[in-house]
Amino acid sequence: MGVMPHDHIELSLEQSLDHCIKCNICTAACPVSAVTDLFPGPKYVGPQAQRFRHERQPAPDESVDYCSGCRVCNEVCPTGVKIAELNARARARLVAERGIPLRNRLISRSEVLGRLGAGPQAPLANLALGFGPLRLALERVLGIARAAPLPKFSRYTFRSWFRRRSAPMANSGPRRQVVYFHGCATNYYEPWVGRAAVAVLEHNGCEVIIAPQRCCGLPLLSNGDFAAARRAHEANVAYLAPYALRGVPIIGTSTSCTLTLKEEAPELLGMRSAMVRTVAEQTFDIFEYLRMMYECGELRADFRPIERTLPYHPPCQLRAHRIGRPALDILELVPGLRLVESHADCCGIAGTYGLKREKYQIGMDVGAPLFETIRRSGSDLAVCDSETCRWQITHGAGVAARHPIEILAKAYGLVI
Amino acid sequence: MRTLTTDVLVIGGGATGAGVLRDLALRGIRCALVEKGDLTHGTTGRYHGLLHSGGRYVVKDPQSAEECARENEILRRIMPHCIEDTGGLFVVTPADDESYADRFVAACRRTGVWVEEIAVSAALRREPLLNPRISRAFAVRDGAADSFLATHANTDDARRYGAQVLTYHVVNGLERVGDRIIGAVCEDLRSGEMVRIHCAAIINATGAWAGKIAALAGLQVSVVAGKGTMVAMNHRIVNTVINRCKMPDDGDIIVPIHTVAVLGTTDIYVPDPDVYSITPEEIRLILDEGEHLIPGVRRMRALRAWAGVRPLYREEDATHDRDIPRTYRLLDHEVRDGVAGMVSIVGGKWTTYRLMAEETVDVVAHRLGVTTPCRTAELRIEASAQPAAPLRPAISHGSAARARFAILASPFYMLGHRLAEVEADDSYGDLVCECELVTREQLEAAIESEGTANLDDLRRDTRLGMGPCQGGFCTYRAAAIWHERRSARYGQAAGAAPATRLLTHFLQERWKGLTPTLWGDQLRQARLDELIYLETLAVDRLPEAIPDETIVTGHAAIATEAG
């Protein structure tokens, strides 16, 4: 695996187990162990089990694989144990020892899947994936839950749209350059999210650069394929560092991608070259960035009123950024618009977790309180920053789900 | 008064006594063992758990080194389930005399201690926390031994051959007729009953207490009690035994054992093996010395500190405890003092317990006219009927599930062993002690087992309360389970008082070892534990427990570690 703890930062991850005072707050807060006995809880699989793991001996545990990686435990831990990271590394150990199941290898490669499905052939691919008997076969053969929410491929990719569009009118004066990290979901499934992001950024005087990029690697990390995740992150750092080193911010609409660039990949993989650090420091969630612009008085406020009250779910991966609720901070500037935060822990999908046959129902049970909250709001539209959460919300609560940037673009009256 | 008759009475339920008992039993000699507390209550249960390669003594005490090297291999063969094959390293730190290393290697060759120099980079890869400034590293065959388990394994095996084990039996007097010792008078501390044991021979295997026992027969044995203090770190900061490559001294070793790493030790003369305390200076010394091996160890989480007393036999005047040879001595009182019927086996160390037993029993068997040779070096000790033995039908799939964990197939103990068992048996819902993974089933089996008197005995059997929270979350659970089981056995509620006594006694035992290490994370832990017991459960305001004869707690005969 090559993850060798050699310095104090690295050690602080695995040695953070020493901060555990066994208080059980994480176990009480864990949305997964609340709904299934298959997961003994974050304390058990995290700092507790870590005392029994030995780098040169076979892995002693496997229940850690039921950790969804939602990071609620990290959020509530009063002493700073890096529980989710301990779990991710333990799972990677298991994968290194026992091999990665074909199913996990497949669903963690969002780029490959995207390339296969997105494009003119999308209707056909979508038809196939919506075809019951095929889904049944996929469940039987591969273990991909037949009811799990798979997104629909887009007929065009975001990158192809960006290439072909007519360049925006060059305004006078120097423009602020930003790199937009679209991620796989925007590129292959929801290009309109990227279009909204580009529109909002350009509306606010930014020159948007679409640098070459690869999958951020999060699905690989959460499926324990650290070697592939390392290759992905190394490639992204090589693509993005030239911009980051010049001080050009890297802005993403997927909270999971940005979290991975910011800290998941460097921490879990033990990568901490100056280039990796610079990329991490220059990466921002799009609303985090817009809020910074607002705080500097640089955000345009030419909003049209939107008279709506919408339920908003801050995804786990956004909360892990520890940046508050920037989407709420910005969208509350829109006259008439009211967003009501869900206060539910997790939607249950946790990236690829809820797609797996053995975990699908756990995911649905985890998400049940959120679905209920959204249903009770009476709204036919929910707002959420993360793509997989949106798909799960639509699947579980039966309402459409949008990225907040789409709402903001609408408030600006931008045509996308 | 009850009277028992046996051929050989072994006094002392530590490693040596248990080894002697097994040796006697295997030779077909009728025997019984008495121990004033629980098995391993003394020094055996208070050491760092090192299975010596011999490396530590090659220069200073070559005879000990040779004995250790030979016994090391034998113990690996006869009781692998009690041993973790951690391997050991001797490293030369910047603070050490560099010329010692060559003497060390030469002495290893002379004494038959296996050694191999490895590259510093290889040592650092193996142990990433090790001081990167070490200049040389030598691999040896050190290991870690579970002295609780090994002692039980010996006595359980001896029982299979008919031996008797009486715990909580303190020897109050030796019966001497003229120049012959013919038996002992013991008190059963739990019932107060006196027991007279007639025997043809007594083996005094009481370690640091050997002088006290000998005195009961009017004999003088000078055993110097050398207190050794140790600090357990919260997790395995190393997975290999790490020694400083220098003359043995204070604080120069780290032993990974079970889930902790033990920094040791000091060596301070104490006049009475029953009265000693741990000083802040000792803790500071151990951590300061530890810095040479693991930079930053001072800032890591220390779990607790404890001390044991080495039984060093002083024949002539030694100026310093460390100058007394670590090898053992067999004192045949018939030859030495003209008093027949008793031998004392003193000195030595855990690693040589079997050899000590063999030599002792050779002499005693000869006197008894038994010519059966010793077989303890050949016969593997069966793993004791594990308290963890599957009882529930739910575990019937256990063997298939267990097959998924390579760790469980290892003949040697491995760090992840218990976790793999819990995972394979799906028993994580039944954990009583979460830190050390003690299930309800294991605890109940230990409660029902012979001679268990309090929660601290359960700790020695199961590791209850030995993890990070030091009993914070398991003491009340264990006390309740004990109460429930004992009430069920006697068919009526036992009343609250015994449970209260169990609870407060164990909390006090854990607290004793916590006080020397109260800073940082462990202070935070202690504060949480304090809130649980004093604020939520108000144990200090429970109705005062009335003395209960089935629970031996603070009996003067078995109280140790003053303060």
Side-chain angles (χ1 to χ4, degrees):
Chain A
M1 288 312 299
V3 183
M4 295 288 287
H6 277 304
D7 67 23
H8 70 283
I9 305 170
E10 183 69 15
L11 295 171
S12 70
L13 196 166
E14 297 196 351
Q15 305 233 346
S16 73
L17 80 93
D18 276 352
H19 300 322
C20 178
I21 54 170
K22 317 294 289 191
C23 67
N24 280 320
I25 290 174
C26 60
T27 307
C30 175
V32 178
S33 59
V35 300
T36 177
D37 287 342
L38 293 169
F39 186 56
K43 178 175 86 168
Y44 169 101
V45 301
Q48 196 163 287
Q50 188 67 16
R51 294 177 75 240
F52 292 86
R53 298 186 185 124
H54 185 308
E55 199 150 353
R56 301 188 302 276
Q57 290 176 2
D61 59 320
E62 53 189 23
S63 62
V64 67
D65 189 45
Y66 276 90
C67 167
S68 76
C70 72
R71 305 172 59 117
V72 168
C73 46
N74 284 22
E75 210 178 322
V76 299
C77 176
T79 58
V81 183
K82 299 195 169 180
I83 310 169
E85 288 83 354
L86 288 171
N87 297 353
R89 282 207 180 162
R91 174 164 22 219
R93 269 284 309 274
L94 265 179
V95 165
E97 199 177 299
R98 300 183 181 184
I100 180 166
L102 176 64
R103 189 258 323 261
N104 296 4
R105 195 183 287 271
L106 203 66
I107 59 177
S108 62
R109 280 169 172 70
S110 36
E111 270 176 311
V112 177
L113 294 176
R115 268 192 234 117
L116 283 175
Q121 73 280 22
L124 200 64
N126 292 334
L127 199 66
L129 286 180
F131 183 52
L134 178 72
R135 289 298 299 269
L136 185 62
L138 279 179
E139 176 171 291
R140 291 270 165 82
V141 177
L142 282 175
I144 297 171
R146 89 184 99 151
L150 296 184
K152 292 228 181 319
F153 292 109
S154 168
R155 300 172 78 140
Y156 65 97
T157 64
F158 168 75
R159 295 186 75 93
S160 68
W161 168 82
F162 190 82
R163 261 198 317 274
R164 284 189 208 131
R165 71 178 193 141
S166 45
M169 299 288 283
N171 287 359
S172 55
R175 282 160 63 93
R176 179 202 298 259
Q177 285 192 323
V178 297
V179 170
Y180 174 52
F181 193 91
H182 49 71
C184 303
T186 296
N187 198 31
Y188 301 115
Y189 304 109
E190 302 180 327
W192 52 87
V193 171
R195 291 168 64 175
V198 171
V200 167
L201 289 167
E202 287 180 345
H203 184 67
N204 281 288
C206 297
E207 179 192 338
V208 179
I209 300 165
I210 308 294
Q213 53 185 267
R214 284 193 55 188
C215 169
C216 68
L218 184 62
L220 297 164
L221 287 171
S222 50
N223 281 286
D225 192 346
F226 276 25
R230 174 181 295 273
R231 288 194 295 275
H233 194 59
E234 277 168 355
N236 279 326
V237 167
Y239 291 138
L240 300 172
Y243 297 99
L245 289 167
R246 281 197 286 125
V248 178
I250 298 148
I251 296 171
T253 38
S254 166
T255 50
S256 346
C257 299
T258 45
L259 184 70
T260 306
L261 296 178
K262 273 184 179 180
E263 65 179 45
E264 285 283 84
E267 282 208 351
L268 288 176
L269 302 169
M271 295 170 68
R272 60 181 61 84
S273 66
M275 292 227 294
V276 170
R277 261 205 319 274
T278 309
V279 168
E281 283 161 6
Q282 286 295 332
T283 300
F284 301 90
D285 166 67
I286 190 162
F287 277 94
E288 180 187 18
Y289 191 76
L290 293 174
R291 188 175 61 185
M292 281 160 54
M293 289 180 72
Y294 171 70
E295 282 163 357
C296 300
E298 292 167 6
L299 189 78
R300 289 175 61 168
D302 50 341
F303 302 115
R304 301 176 187 180
I306 299 179
E307 295 294 339
R308 287 203 71 169
T309 298
L310 299 173
Y312 168 72
H313 175 62
C316 307
Q317 297 286 337
L318 172 77
R319 302 203 303 267
H321 281 255
R322 305 178 296 279
I323 53 174
R325 308 283 185 268
L328 290 184
D329 296 340
I330 295 302
L331 286 176
E332 75 175 8
L333 303 172
V334 176
L337 182 61
R338 203 173 145 254
L339 263 58
V340 181
E341 191 179 333
S342 71
H343 297 294
D345 284 329
C346 179
C347 71
I349 192 79
T352 56
Y353 184 87
L355 302 182
K356 299 169 182 173
R357 180 176 49 195
E358 73 281 10
K359 293 169 181 131
Y360 169 77
Q361 195 52 47
I362 297 173
M364 291 303 284
D365 293 345
V366 165
L370 174 63
F371 307 150
E372 180 60 23
T373 305
I374 290 172
R375 265 192 237 106
R376 274 211 282 209
S377 74
S379 170
D380 59 354
L381 179 66
V383 180
C384 179
D385 312 65
S386 169
E387 56 276 5
T388 53
C389 307
R390 288 195 295 274
W391 304 333
Q392 173 86 338
I393 287 170
T394 299
H395 176 60
V399 303
R402 294 281 176 195
H403 191 287
I405 199 70
E406 298 178 68
I407 313 291
L408 190 65
K410 187 159 185 278
Y412 276 130
L414 300 170
V415 182
I416 52 170
Chain B
M1 186 182 303
R2 241 174 357 126
T3 302
L4 289 174
T5 306
T6 188
D7 287 338
V8 178
L9 175 65
V10 182
I11 306 176
T16 315
V20 164
L21 192 72
R22 175 172 187 250
D23 198 325
L24 288 164
L26 286 183
R27 297 195 211 207
I29 298 170
R30 199 160 54 129
C31 54
L33 180 147
V34 289
E35 158 59 47
K36 65 179 178 173
D38 186 24
L39 290 176
T40 72
H41 177 88
T43 308
T44 299
R46 295 160 202 263
Y47 101 122
H48 41 43
L50 174 64
L51 174 69
H52 278 279
S53 60
R56 194 169 167 80
Y57 300 116
V58 283
V59 173
K60 194 165 188 175
D61 190 353
Q63 190 192 336
S64 281
E66 282 173 30
E67 289 162 4
C68 285
R70 277 199 311 271
E71 286 300 306
N72 180 308
E73 299 304 326
I74 292 172
L75 298 184
R76 282 166 186 264
R77 213 165 51 230
I78 64 169
M79 46 162 62
H81 69 291
C82 302
I83 287 167
E84 184 178 345
D85 185 15
T86 60
L89 289 174
F90 277 75
V91 295
V92 181
T93 75
D96 301 327
D97 171 13
E98 284 185 27
S99 70
Y100 182 86
D102 290 330
R103 285 161 64 205
F104 169 78
V105 173
C108 284
R109 304 264 182 265
R110 274 199 305 276
T111 49
V113 171
W114 185 91
V115 68
E116 184 179 79
E117 179 154 16
I118 64 170
V120 167
S121 57
L124 292 174
R125 258 199 312 281
R126 184 164 161 182
E127 292 302 339
L129 293 188
L130 198 54
N131 188 347
R133 293 168 65 219
I134 58 171
S135 55
R136 297 178 77 177
F138 303 92
V140 294
R141 282 173 67 74
D142 284 337
D146 185 327
S147 59
F148 304 120
L149 189 61
T151 303
H152 279 277
N154 269 289
T155 54
D156 287 350
D157 202 41
R159 277 201 186 102
R160 283 185 208 116
Y161 291 87
Q164 251 185 306
V165 178
L166 304 167
T167 54
Y168 289 101
H169 280 63
V170 63
V171 174
N172 282 343
L174 296 178
E175 299 204 319
R176 181 170 163 177
V177 176
D179 285 338
R180 179 154 204 96
I181 296 168
I182 57 157
V185 177
C186 307
E187 181 188 351
D188 181 341
L189 292 180
R190 288 164 304 182
S191 64
E193 188 188 12
M194 302 302 285
V195 183
R196 172 177 285 129
I197 303 176
H198 287 303
C199 57
I202 286 178
I203 296 175
N204 174 15
T206 51
W209 290 264
K212 289 192 170 187
I213 291 294
L216 295 175
L219 302 170
Q220 202 194 336
V221 171
S222 294
V223 177
V224 175
K227 179 187 58 161
T229 297
M230 287 147 272
V231 176
M233 305 306 289
N234 184 57
H235 73 276
R236 291 264 289 245
I237 56 175
V238 292
N239 284 313
T240 309
V241 176
I242 310 288
N243 303 268
R244 294 261 294 273
C245 190
K246 66 187 190 78
M247 283 298 227
D249 204 344
D250 291 350
D252 57 3
I253 187 167
I254 306 178
V255 182
I257 170 104
H258 285 284
T259 48
V260 300
V262 178
L263 310 186
T265 58
T266 56
D267 194 351
I268 296 168
Y269 165 75
V270 288
D272 185 334
D274 286 321
V275 183
Y276 55 84
S277 59
I278 295 169
T279 64
E281 291 72 30
E282 284 180 276
I283 304 298
R284 196 172 309 131
L285 176 92
I286 290 170
L287 292 173
D288 286 351
E289 289 298 314
E291 283 287 319
H292 293 296
L293 291 171
I294 307 287
V297 74
R298 259 190 300 236
R299 295 192 307 276
M300 295 174 185
R301 179 176 177 177
L303 203 61
R304 86 185 258 117
W306 74 94
V309 281
R310 297 179 185 84
L312 304 176
Y313 176 63
R314 188 203 294 266
E315 209 151 15
E316 297 129 33
D317 284 339
T319 50
H320 190 269
D321 288 358
R322 289 219 184 264
D323 297 331
I324 300 174
R326 293 306 162 91
T327 187
Y328 56 89
R329 289 303 302 271
L330 174 63
L331 309 177
D332 182 346
H333 295 293
E334 186 170 338
V335 177
R336 181 182 182 261
D337 307 295
V339 177
M342 182 161 97
V343 297
S344 296
I345 175 74
V346 291
K349 55 187 64 56
W350 188 87
T351 305
T352 57
Y353 88 84
R354 192 211 61 84
L355 182 63
M356 292 158 68
E358 176 175 350
E359 204 169 300
T360 306
V361 177
D362 278 349
V363 168
V364 172
H366 179 73
R367 291 269 153 76
L368 296 175
V370 176
T371 53
T372 319
C374 174
R375 293 191 294 160
T376 56
E378 287 82 44
L379 290 185
R380 186 168 160 159
I381 304 181
E382 299 291 317
S384 303
Q386 289 282 321
L391 299 173
R392 294 173 306 163
I395 296 177
S396 56
H397 68 277
S399 55
R402 285 180 176 231
R404 287 206 306 273
F405 295 92
I407 232 171
L408 296 179
S410 160
F412 288 111
Y413 177 84
M414 282 192 182
L415 173 61
H417 206 100
R418 280 196 170 190
L419 181 57
E421 282 179 336
V422 168
E423 290 273 309
D425 299 345
D426 281 340
S427 56
Y428 45 72
D430 298 323
L431 294 177
V432 177
C433 168
E434 297 170 77
C435 303
E436 294 296 319
L437 305 178
V438 182
T439 62
R440 187 185 176 108
E441 225 174 296
Q442 288 169 310
L443 197 73
E444 287 180 349
I447 290 170
E448 299 296 333
S449 74
E450 185 78 23
T452 306
N454 54 49
L455 297 186
D456 207 40
D457 294 350
L458 298 184
R459 172 184 70 80
R460 280 182 283 266
D461 292 344
T462 64
R463 297 187 62 77
L464 177 84
M466 290 178 80
C469 79
Q470 289 289 299
F473 286 86
C474 63
T475 306
Y476 59 86
R477 295 174 187 163
I481 292 171
W482 177 297
H483 186 65
E484 186 184 285
R485 299 298 292 191
R486 291 284 160 119
S487 298
R489 184 197 284 184
Y490 299 116
Q492 58 178 41
T500 303
R501 297 245 312 168
L502 282 172
L503 190 77
T504 51
H505 170 247
F506 193 61
L507 288 176
Q508 212 59 38
E509 283 295 311
R510 293 287 87 193
W511 175 243
K512 266 192 326 203
L514 271 167
T515 46
T517 58
L518 280 186
W519 62 84
D521 289 315
Q522 201 60 349
L523 178 58
R524 203 173 280 129
Q525 179 74 62
R527 175 68 181 135
L528 176 60
D529 295 353
E530 183 187 9
L531 288 170
I532 292 172
Y533 287 97
L534 297 187
E535 301 298 319
T536 307
L537 299 177
V539 292
D540 55 333
R541 276 165 281 164
L542 292 174
E544 202 180 17
I546 52 156
D548 182 282
E549 55 280 1
T550 63
I551 298 163
V552 181
T553 54
H555 195 289
I558 55 167
T560 49
E561 290 185 50

